[in-house]
C-alpha cells in the first residue's frame, strides 16, 4: 500500500490547519457563507437535507485495517454510528457538525486520509478496479498509475478551476470492473506486442443528464507518457470546455461538439509540445511507486481446496457464498472476497461502525491488512488464503455481512437519494430495500443469475442507473415521486447506455414493474446460461415494453 | 402558506422559525405566514439569521395546515422535517420532534407490506 512520505503528511496536516482556521473564521462570523462555501466544498463538506455531509477520499478504493478502524471511529464519534460507501469508492458521513470538522479531519490525517478534492471543479478521486493487484485476469496493477495521477492532480494549480468536475478511472484487465468508459478519462492498462506497459486512453464518457460512452483516442500510450498526455487532455479541456452552461461543461460535451478526430488532433498537438519534457515519467519513479503496491508475500497454502470441500459439506450457506462472492486470485492458493454491503432489505453501501471494525479485524487477521471499496458499494478482501475462507465467512456472519449476492439482483447500487441528498428528486434507498425484500429468496436470485440493478434519485446519476442492466431513475412529477426504468445499460468493457422503456412508475408500482421485467426475461431466455443483458441485447426492448405496458406499449 | 426554514450554521441541523420561541428544531411550532406582509416579515427574519451567521440555506417553503400542524407540500421538505425514511431511528422523527401529520409517505407497496 502507498504510504505518505514527509511531503504528503506535511501537505495534509497543513490543509487541516488551514481548514480549521477557515471553520473558526466562519463560526465567528468573519467569513460569510458565500465566502466559506467554496472553501468547505474543497474540503469535502456539503450541506444536505438534515445536516452537513463529509465525503472522505479513499484513493482508488484502497484501505488498511488501521484506516478502516479510523473510519469506524469517525462514524461513532462525529456521526450517528454509520457511514455510506459511494460509487466513487469514497465514504460519506451524513451527520457531522461543522464545529467538529477540524477534529474529524485531524483524525483522518493521522491515518493518511483526507477529504481534499472530493468536491468542486477539480480532478476527483481516481478510481480503479477493486480487484487490482489480485485478480487473476489482470495484466498489471493499475493502482501505481492511479497513485501517480493522484499525486500529480492534488491541488494542481492549473487544474483546480476546471469548467466542471473531472473523473479518471483505471483498469488493468480486459474485463473492465472500473467502468472506465463512463469517465471523463478512462485508462486501460495493457501490454503491447513488445511486452511494454501502456494505456488505451478513452475520453469523454460520463453519466448524468447527458450520458455518453467515452471515445478511444489512443490505442497505446506508453506508460512514461501518462502525465504528459493527461496534461494535454486537461489543457485542451480547460481551454475549450464550456463555462457558460453548467450542464454542458463536462468534457463529454466538448468531445461531442468538437468531434473525436478534431479533439484528439488538438490533444496530440498539445502533447507533442510537452511529451519529452519534465512530465515524462522516469522508470525509476514508476518503480518506486510500484514497490508500494507489491503483492504481499503470500505463503503457499495448498490445503485450501480440501478445507473448502469439507466446509461445504458442513454448511450449504458457506458453499453458496463461496460460489457467489469469491473470485479467482492470481495465486492459486488465494482468493478475492466480496463482502456484501447489501444485506437483504438494507440500505446499499451503508456500514455501521461495528461492521467496519469487524472487517478491519478480519483483514488484519486473514487478508494481509488490505481492504478495498468497490464502486458497486461493497467491501473487498483482495488476498485471502482459500484455506481461511471458512474462518472469514464465520466472522462475517457475526456482523451480518455474509450475504451471498455479489452480482445478483439484490446487489443493488443506490445513491442516497431524497432521504439525504439536497439535489434529489426522489428516494432511492427505499426502492432498493423493497426490491431487495421482494427478491430475497436466494434460490430465486440464483435462478435469475447476474443482474445489475442501479438506482439514482436524480438525473445526476450517482447511482449509475444509465449503466444498470435494469436502471431506475427517480423523478418528481406533480409533487410526487415517479420512477423511470431503463434497460440494457452496462458499465463494463462493452459499455452501453440503458434505454428508457416508457412512462414512469409510482412508488407503489416500481417493485412490481421490476418483477415484470425479470419474469419476462426468465420467460424468454434461451436457457439459464443466457444472462439478462445478453437476452436483452438479443431481443431488444419490445417484449419488456409489451409486458410492462400491454397494448399501451406502442404509445409509451 | 409558507413557513421559514434553514439549517443551523454550527451543526447543519434543520430548523424552523417559530414566532414565540425563535428558531426551533421541529416544524411543529412554525407559524405559517397568512398574508404577503407576514411573508415579508418572515423573509426579514431569514435575512437577519443569515446576516448574523446563525443559519444557512434559508428558505420559505410551502405548507398546508393539517389539524393545526404545518405540513410541507413537497416531499423533500416532509423528509427534511422527519429524517431519513429508511432510518426512522434517526433525525427529528426519532427525537419526538415530528408531528405525525407531517410525516412523509412511507415507501411501502401493498405486496411488500
Ligand atoms: S444521483 Fe442525485 S439524488 Fe442521488 S446522490 Fe447524486 S445528486 Fe443526490
Amino acid at each position: 500500500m502507498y504510504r505518505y512520505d514527509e511531503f504528503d503528511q506535511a501537505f495534509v496536516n497543513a490543509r487541516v490547519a488551514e481548514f480549521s482556521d477557515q471553520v473558526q473564521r466562519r463560526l465567528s462570523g468573519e467569513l460569510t457563507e458565500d465566502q466559506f462555501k467554496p472553501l468547505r466544498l474543497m474540503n469535502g463538506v456539503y450541506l444536505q437535507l438534515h445536516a452537513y455531509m463529509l465525503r472522505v477520499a479513499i484513493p482508488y478504493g484502497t484501505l488498511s485495517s488501521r484506516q478502516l478502524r479510523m473510519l469506524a471511529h469517525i462514524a461513532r464519534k462525529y456521526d450517528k454510528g454509520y457511514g455510506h460507501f459511494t460509487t466513487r469508492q469514497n465514504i460519506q458521513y451524513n451527520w457531522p457538525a461543522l464545529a467538529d470538522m477540524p477534529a474529524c479531519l485531524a483524525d483522518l490525517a493521522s491515518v493518511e486520509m483526507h477529504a481534499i478534492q472530493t468536491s468542486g471543479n477539480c480532478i476527483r478521486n481516481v478510481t480503479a478496479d477493486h480487484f487490482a493487484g489480485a485478480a487473476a485476469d489482470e495484466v498489471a496493477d493499475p493502482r501505481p498509475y492511479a497513485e501517480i495521477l493522484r499525486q500529480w492532480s492534488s491541488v494542481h494549480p492549473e487544474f483546480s478551476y476546471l469548467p466542471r468536475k473531472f473523473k479518471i478511472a483505471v483498469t488493468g484487465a480486459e474485463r473492465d470492473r472500473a467502468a472506465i468508459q463512463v469517465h471523463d478519462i478512462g485508462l486501460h492498462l495493457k501490454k503491447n506486442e513488445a511486452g511494454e506497459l501502456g494505456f488505451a486512453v478513452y475520453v469523454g464518457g460520463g453519466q448524468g443528464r447527458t450520458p455518453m460512452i467515452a471515445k478511444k483516442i489512443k490505442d497505446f500510450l506508453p506508460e512514461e507518457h501518462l502525465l504528459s498526455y493527461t496534461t494535454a487532455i486537461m489543457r485542451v479541456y480547460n481551454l475549450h470546455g464550456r463555462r457558460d452552461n453548467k450542464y454542458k461543461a463536462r468534457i463529454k460535451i466538448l468531445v461531442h461538439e468538437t468531434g473525436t478526430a478534431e479533439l484528439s488532433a488538438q490533444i496530440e498537438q498539445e502533447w507533442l509540445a510537452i511529451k519529452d519534457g519534465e512530465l515524462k515519467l522516469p522508470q525509476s519513479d514508476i518503480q518506486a511507486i510500484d514497490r508500494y503496491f507489491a503483492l504481499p508475500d503470500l505463503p503457499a497454502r495448498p490445503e485450501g481446496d480440501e478445507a473448502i470441500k469439507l466446509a461445504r459439506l458442513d454448511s450449504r450457506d458457506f458453499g453458496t457464498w463461496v460460489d457467489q462472492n469469491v473470485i479467482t486470485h492470481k495465486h492459486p492458493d488465494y482468493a478475492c472476497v466480496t463482502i456484501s454491503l447489501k444485506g437483504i432489505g438494507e440500505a446499499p453501501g451503508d456500514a455501521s461502525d461495528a461492521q467496519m471494525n469487524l472487517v478491519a479485524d478480519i483483514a488484519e487477521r486473514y487478508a494481509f491488512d488490505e481492504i478495498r471499496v468497490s464502486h458497486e458499494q461493497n467491501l473487498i478482501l483482495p488476498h485471502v488464503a482459500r484455506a481461511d475462507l471458512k474462518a472469514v465467512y464465520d466472522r462475517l456472519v457475526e456482523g451480518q455481512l455474509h450475504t451471498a449476492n455479489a452480482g445478483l439482483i439484490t446487489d443493488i447500487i443506490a445513491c442516497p437519494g431524497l432521504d439525504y441528498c439536497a439535489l434529489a428528486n426522489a428516494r432511492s434507498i427505499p426502492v432498493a430495500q423493497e426490491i431487495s425484500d421482494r427478491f430475497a429468496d436466494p434460490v430465486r436470485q440464483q435462478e435469475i443469475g447476474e443482474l445489475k440493478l442501479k438506482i439514482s434519485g436524480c438525473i445526476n446519476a450517482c447511482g449509475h442507473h444509465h449503466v444498470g442492466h435494469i436502471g431506475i431513475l427517480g423523478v418528481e412529477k406533480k409533487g410526487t415521486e415517479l420512477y423511470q426504468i431503463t434497460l440494457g445499460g452496462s458499465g463494463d468493457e462493452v459499455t452501453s447506455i440503458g434505454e428508457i422503456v416508457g412512462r414512469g412508475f409510482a412508488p407503489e408500482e416500481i417493485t412490481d414493474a421490476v418483477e415484470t421485467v425479470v419474469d419476462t426475461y426468465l420467460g424468454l431466455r434461451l436457457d439459464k446460461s443466457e444472462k439478462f443483458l445478453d437476452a436483452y441485447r438479443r431481443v431488444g426492448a419490445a417484449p419488456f415494453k409489451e409486458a410492462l405496458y400491454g397494448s399501451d406499449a406502442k404509445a409509451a | 402558506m409558507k413557513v421559514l426554514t434553514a439549517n443551523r450554521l454550527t451543526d447543519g441541523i434543520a430548523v424552523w422559525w417559530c414566532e414565540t420561541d425563535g428558531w426551533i428544531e421541529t416544524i411543529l411550532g412554525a407559524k405559517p405566514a397568512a398574508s404577503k406582509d407576514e411573508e415579508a416579515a418572515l423573509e426579514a427574519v431569514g435575512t437577519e439569521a443569515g446576516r448574523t451567521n446563525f443559519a444557512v440555506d434559508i428558505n420559505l417553503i410551502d405548507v398546508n395546515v393539517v389539524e393545526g400542524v404545518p405540513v410541507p407540500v413537497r416531499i423533500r421538505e416532509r423528509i427534511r422535517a422527519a429524517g431519513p425514511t429508511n432510518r426512522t431511528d434517526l433525525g427529528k422523527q426519532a427525537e419526538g420532534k415530528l408531528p405525525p401529520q407531517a410525516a412523509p409517505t412511507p415507501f411501502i407497496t401493498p405486496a411488500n407490506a
Side-chain angles (χ1 to χ4, degrees), chain A residues 86-277:
Chain A
T86 76
T87 52
R88 306 225 63 257
Q89 300 181 303
N90 290 326
I91 187 169
Q92 295 180 175
Y93 296 100
N94 297 302
W95 305 91
L98 183 60
D100 285 339
M101 280 318 164
C104 196
L105 291 177
D107 284 355
L108 283 170
S110 74
V111 295
E112 305 179 4
M113 295 187 82
H114 60 72
I116 301 165
Q117 285 180 215
T118 59
S119 173
N121 294 337
C122 53
I123 299 173
R124 305 284 189 90
N125 186 27
V126 178
T127 52
D129 182 352
H130 42 268
F131 294 128
D137 64 350
E138 95 180 354
V139 170
D141 190 338
R143 291 174 304 156
Y145 305 94
E147 173 57 28
I148 289 168
L149 286 165
R150 185 194 70 77
Q151 295 190 11
W152 161 83
S153 64
S154 294
V155 293
H156 191 306
E158 192 179 338
F159 305 134
S160 291
Y161 294 93
L162 296 167
R164 198 78 178 84
K165 59 186 162 183
F166 204 93
K167 301 174 184 176
I168 304 177
V170 202
T171 177
E174 277 303 321
R175 174 90 204 277
D176 177 9
R177 289 172 289 253
I180 65 165
Q181 292 180 43
V182 285
H183 282 76
D184 296 287
I185 294 180
L187 297 167
H188 172 199
L189 179 63
K190 59 184 200 180
K191 281 191 174 149
N192 65 8
E193 279 165 12
E196 295 153 342
L197 282 168
F199 303 91
V201 182
Y202 294 78
V203 167
Q207 300 197 52
R209 168 177 313 261
T210 321
M212 297 221 181
I213 299 172
K215 305 287 185 298
K216 186 162 31 159
I217 57 166
K218 207 151 200 65
D219 265 331
F220 190 82
L221 175 77
E223 57 175 350
E224 65 266 29
H225 294 307
L226 174 65
L227 293 186
S228 59
Y229 195 74
T230 309
T231 298
I233 298 172
M234 300 307 300
R235 283 196 174 154
V236 170
Y237 169 57
N238 208 11
L239 194 61
H240 299 301
R242 289 182 58 172
R243 291 175 190 265
D244 61 325
N245 181 342
K246 181 177 163 190
Y247 301 119
K248 298 200 167 171
R250 297 288 290 269
I251 195 173
K252 62 189 173 188
I253 304 293
L254 183 67
V255 174
H256 183 70
E257 290 183 349
T258 315
T260 312
E262 167 62 21
L263 196 82
S264 53
Q266 291 175 10
I267 292 167
E268 203 69 20
Q269 195 185 1
E270 182 67 40
W271 182 48
L272 284 177
I274 57 172
K275 84 190 259 274
D276 295 313

Side-chain angles (χ1 to χ4, degrees), chain A residues 208-466:
Chain A
R209 168 177 313 261
T210 321
M212 297 221 181
I213 299 172
K215 305 287 185 298
K216 186 162 31 159
I217 57 166
K218 207 151 200 65
D219 265 331
F220 190 82
L221 175 77
E223 57 175 350
E224 65 266 29
H225 294 307
L226 174 65
L227 293 186
S228 59
Y229 195 74
T230 309
T231 298
I233 298 172
M234 300 307 300
R235 283 196 174 154
V236 170
Y237 169 57
N238 208 11
L239 194 61
H240 299 301
R242 289 182 58 172
R243 291 175 190 265
D244 61 325
N245 181 342
K246 181 177 163 190
Y247 301 119
K248 298 200 167 171
R250 297 288 290 269
I251 195 173
K252 62 189 173 188
I253 304 293
L254 183 67
V255 174
H256 183 70
E257 290 183 349
T258 315
T260 312
E262 167 62 21
L263 196 82
S264 53
Q266 291 175 10
I267 292 167
E268 203 69 20
Q269 195 185 1
E270 182 67 40
W271 182 48
L272 284 177
I274 57 172
K275 84 190 259 274
D276 295 313
E278 61 177 12
L279 287 172
K280 188 167 172 181
L281 287 165
Q283 263 307 313
S284 56
D285 281 15
I286 299 177
Q287 280 163 0
I289 298 288
D290 252 343
R291 277 195 286 278
Y292 285 110
F293 296 92
L295 190 65
D297 196 10
L298 304 175
R301 297 285 303 277
E303 71 277 23
D305 283 347
E306 188 59 24
I308 291 174
K309 205 164 93 189
L310 289 175
R312 274 182 194 275
L313 293 176
D314 200 36
S315 160
R316 182 191 290 236
D317 289 347
F318 168 70
T320 311
W321 178 80
V322 169
D323 294 338
Q324 204 59 49
N325 288 32
V326 174
I327 72 152
T328 315
H329 193 280
K330 52 175 77 165
H331 188 303
D333 295 348
Y334 287 78
C336 311
V337 168
T338 296
I339 299 173
S340 172
L341 297 182
K342 319 290 177 62
I344 297 303
E346 302 286 345
D350 278 12
S352 68
D353 60 328
Q355 287 176 321
M356 289 187 240
N357 274 332
L358 176 64
V359 172
D361 289 348
I362 296 172
E364 200 167 58
R365 169 80 177 77
Y366 297 107
F368 301 85
D369 213 14
E370 243 195 73
I371 305 106
R372 307 282 174 76
V373 181
S374 77
H375 83 271
E376 294 179 322
Q377 300 180 289
N378 290 315
L379 297 178
I380 309 289
L381 300 174
H383 319 289
V384 179
R386 292 170 59 76
D388 291 333
L389 283 173
K390 182 62 165 58
V392 166
Y393 175 79
D394 289 342
R395 295 293 311 273
L396 290 174
V397 170
E398 290 169 25
Q400 296 290 311
L401 287 168
H402 59 296
T403 311
N405 62 353
L408 298 177
I409 188 168
T410 58
D411 184 7
I412 299 169
I413 289 185
C415 76
L418 194 51
D419 284 300
Y420 296 95
C421 176
L423 302 173
N425 291 323
R427 282 173 278 185
S428 348
I429 295 169
V431 184
Q433 291 176 300
E434 199 173 86
I435 294 170
S436 174
D437 279 332
R438 180 76 63 89
F439 290 94
D441 177 4
V443 178
R444 188 178 182 200
Q445 290 188 58
Q446 289 287 340
E447 179 60 28
I448 297 165
E450 184 183 272
L451 206 166
K452 298 193 186 255
L453 201 151
K454 310 188 187 216
I455 309 173
S456 306
C458 84
I459 194 63
N460 287 332
C462 305
H464 292 189
H465 66 277
H466 291 301

Side-chain angles (χ1 to χ4, degrees), chain A residues 26-27 29 31 33 47-52 80 82 95-99 347 418-420 422 427 429-431 433-434 437-438 476 479 481 483 507-508 510-511, chain B residues 7-14 50 53 55-57 73-76 78-87 90-91 95 104-112:
Chain A
R26 176 68 188 116
L27 292 174
L31 293 178
E33 186 61 13
L47 181 64
Q48 297 287 36
L49 289 186
H50 311 295
Y52 290 103
K80 294 186 187 284
Y82 69 111
W95 305 91
L98 183 60
L418 194 51
D419 284 300
Y420 296 95
R427 282 173 278 185
I429 295 169
V431 184
Q433 291 176 300
E434 199 173 86
D437 279 332
R438 180 76 63 89
E476 185 181 358
E481 296 156 299
Y483 295 93
E508 62 275 15
I510 183 63
T511 304
Chain B
N7 292 70
R8 200 158 53 201
L9 173 70
T10 50
D11 56 7
I13 294 300
N53 299 305
V56 289
D57 204 8
V73 171
R74 289 189 67 196
I75 180 139
R76 175 190 203 274
R78 289 206 292 279
I79 291 173
R80 220 174 131 259
T85 63
N86 69 308
R87 288 293 302 264
L90 300 176
E95 296 159 4
T105 344
F107 201 101
I108 302 285
T109 69
N112 274 2

Side-chain angles (χ1 to χ4, degrees), chain B residues 35-52:
Chain B
S35 65
K36 284 283 164 212
D37 282 353
E38 287 183 22
E39 262 181 42
L42 284 185
E43 254 167 37
V45 171
T47 308
E48 184 62 8
R51 197 189 61 76
T52 56

